[in-house]
Amino acid sequence: MAGIHITDIESAINWWRAKSPSPDGLSLCDELIALAEVYALMVYFREVECDDNSMPRAAYLAWMTWYDTTPDTPCIAICSTSQGDDLCKGCGRTFDEVQLWPEMSAAEKRGTWRRITIESSAWRFNRYAERARETPAT
């Protein structure tokens, strides 16, 4: 059971706002309504995470649509866990996170992304940041 952090809900809301702008400044698309309800409850109850298993289906599907637009892995092809490090110098993931990545849920992956972004000590955030940048589609 993994939690979806409120910042990911915010990111999904902002992505949907850009994707489906309100035609009149008042109405929202169904995906935004679903995510906004979850967000409002999180704020009201002062929760920073919502359980991905109990999240309303419409909100979860809207979140997953946003999630599918994010990079799948923080890997920059400089893996020090293969050299015996417990924490990869390249991406910042633990040995277990690197090994179990294909089996992790979307919420678990986003939790790892959040941790390594906050720590920002991995080479993907400094020495090799250019490798981490996405190249625009042509």
Side-chain angles (χ1 to χ4, degrees), residues 38-112:
V38 171
Y39 184 81
L41 287 170
M42 291 175 75
V43 170
Y44 181 79
F45 289 108
R46 296 190 171 128
E47 297 289 338
V48 294
E49 288 188 343
C50 66
D51 177 31
D52 62 332
N53 290 326
S54 62
M55 192 174 185
R57 181 154 174 77
Y60 183 74
L61 291 175
W63 183 81
M64 282 299 297
T65 301
W66 164 80
Y67 170 81
D68 288 340
T69 68
T70 65
D72 178 54
T73 178
C75 182
I76 60 168
I78 299 176
C79 189
S80 68
T81 60
S82 63
Q83 305 300 315
D85 286 344
D86 289 332
L87 190 68
C88 180
K89 290 178 180 115
C91 69
R93 293 179 291 171
T94 66
F95 177 80
D96 287 341
E97 288 167 340
V98 171
Q99 296 300 308
L100 298 173
W101 194 261
E103 300 168 24
M104 291 170 73
S105 71
E108 290 169 329
K109 288 178 181 180
R110 288 302 304 166
T112 299

